[in-house]
Amino acid sequence: MTLHLRPLGQSDLQITPVGIGTAPIGSTATWRISWGPQDEQAAIRAIHAALDSGVNWIDTAPFYGWGRAEELIGRAIRGRRERVLLFTKCGTLPDGQGGWIECLTRDSIYRDVENSLRRLGTAYLDILYLHDPDPQTPIEESWQAVQTLIQAGRVRYAGLSNHPNDLVARAQAIAPVAVVQHQYNLLHRDVEADILPYAQQHGIGFLAWSPLASGFLADDFDLDALAADDFRRRHPYAQPEAFARLTRLRQALQALAASQGKTLVELALAWLCAQPGVTGTMVGIRSPREAAAMVDGPAWQLTDAEHAAIELAIAHWEG
């Protein structure tokens, strides 16, 4: 399977339509967004399998297990750094009570980046995102700090994660925004109203996170089998009425995919990667099997009839 490269905004980076998402492998029992137990060796093998299949970028953050994901990536890419683009974030810090705060002051950004470089075992980052908005720090201050890191060679390009358009515009007034990333999948389409059109209009790359809706759109998803502390047990989709409706939607989409010899994962990724303005999506993987499952979806060119069938199923889910 050949994964064709796509230009990432107005940068000189060329990326595959799917990348490696790493929130699940960062999971720990003490991290509030726990994905259940994670085997470190399986996580490293998953990263190797994805890279060997042609995937050329990894998305991560210090937030994911408070550094655990970055440490695992550093171990996995040792001797392979030239084969992979590394995207990480800054600004989300533990609050000392099991939660987190946003702090995008200059000094906080510098500390985050130095710690990320150390954990990842690299001298530079290909993309640095401001993770979530910090209401206490003007974005102009944060964005200027990132430009200093770019000038110093510690960062190649910069992006914004989960930031509304007005903050993107304020950052752009100082220096280019290469890429934005937001949640986007078959069940969560808010970005279609304003974020995605803005990115298209301004030539900004767009990466979608949670393309499989935190696993609720995975073929083998089993709510009852999740660990007791798995955050998805508390997810709105897991509530009885919503989950009953979601189960019916899953069945409809799986039937559509099966009619073409495909899987639900492949359908979800094919649909997402075909959306106008979407450059790519990161898929959270925890095993070589999951790594293999993510690479075939983007190659499926959905027909107009298939798109219409998906939209009809989604309309029933929504209303």
Side-chain angles (χ1 to χ4, degrees):
M1 175 62 61
T2 299
L3 291 169
H4 297 289
L5 299 178
R6 299 177 172 188
L8 183 60
Q10 297 179 19
S11 76
D12 67 355
L13 303 181
Q14 299 277 324
I15 67 168
T16 49
V18 288
I20 301 167
T22 58
I25 69 170
S27 180
T28 68
T30 58
W31 189 42
R32 188 173 292 180
I33 309 179
S34 173
W35 292 73
Q38 170 62 51
D39 180 85
E40 291 189 356
Q41 291 306 312
I44 292 172
R45 290 196 300 271
I47 293 171
H48 289 170
L51 296 178
D52 290 344
S53 72
V55 174
N56 78 340
W57 56 283
I58 300 175
D59 179 271
T60 191
F63 175 57
Y64 302 158
W66 301 123
R68 182 172 189 253
E70 288 186 330
E71 289 171 354
L72 287 171
I73 293 165
R75 289 162 55 187
I77 66 169
R78 195 169 296 146
R80 300 176 181 232
R81 175 64 178 97
E82 72 285 353
R83 295 178 50 187
V84 62
L85 301 172
L86 290 178
F87 306 163
T88 195
K89 309 174 187 74
C90 63
T92 302
L93 307 177
D95 65 2
Q97 300 176 346
W100 54 88
I101 59 171
E102 302 305 322
C103 182
L104 286 168
T105 63
R106 179 189 62 186
D107 290 345
S108 177
I109 290 171
Y110 292 167
R111 281 194 301 270
D112 254 4
V113 168
E114 289 307 310
N115 287 332
S116 289
L117 292 172
R118 173 179 51 78
R119 287 188 291 256
L120 291 165
T122 184
Y124 66 93
L125 303 169
D126 295 288
I127 294 283
L128 174 67
Y129 291 95
L130 303 185
H131 198 159
D132 285 333
D134 171 8
Q136 305 303 318
T137 306
I139 194 167
E140 291 81 2
E141 175 184 329
S142 307
W143 203 240
Q144 189 57 61
V146 173
Q147 304 316 305
T148 301
L149 290 169
I150 291 174
Q151 294 160 10
R154 305 299 263 170
V155 173
R156 293 178 65 190
Y157 296 99
L160 295 169
S161 171
N162 304 325
H163 281 60
N165 286 343
D166 64 313
L167 292 182
V168 178
R170 286 168 57 184
Q172 282 182 298
I174 294 174
V177 176
V179 57
V180 296
Q181 67 166 253
H182 289 264
Q183 182 176 188
Y184 187 27
N185 57 56
L186 283 164
L187 307 181
H188 188 100
R189 300 173 62 172
D190 294 355
V191 297
E192 293 175 352
D194 57 353
I195 301 292
L196 202 49
Y198 184 94
Q200 286 183 273
Q201 179 184 354
H202 291 87
I204 299 172
F206 180 95
L207 298 181
W209 58 265
S210 195
L212 303 180
S214 298
F216 283 87
L217 291 176
D219 293 88
D220 58 355
F221 182 79
D222 184 349
L223 184 61
D224 293 332
L226 297 179
D229 62 348
D230 194 303
F231 81 98
R232 291 171 292 181
R233 286 187 173 274
R234 308 184 301 274
H235 197 287
Y237 296 155
Q239 304 314 304
E241 182 179 348
F243 192 68
R245 290 170 44 230
L246 178 55
T247 297
R248 292 192 292 271
L249 173 62
R250 285 171 48 86
Q251 291 169 344
L253 295 177
Q254 283 178 313
L256 174 60
S259 71
Q260 301 301 315
K262 305 289 187 179
T263 66
L264 177 56
V265 166
E266 289 170 336
L267 181 147
L269 296 179
W271 177 87
L272 185 56
C273 290
Q275 296 307 302
V278 172
T279 312
T281 183
M282 64 284 298
V283 184
I285 56 173
R286 293 194 283 180
S287 69
R289 178 182 61 81
E290 291 179 351
M294 79 183 201
V295 298
D296 290 334
W300 181 8
Q301 300 296 309
L302 295 165
T303 65
D304 290 344
E306 288 165 344
H307 275 291
I310 292 170
E311 293 298 332
L312 180 59
I314 293 296
H316 288 168
W317 149 261
E318 291 176 338

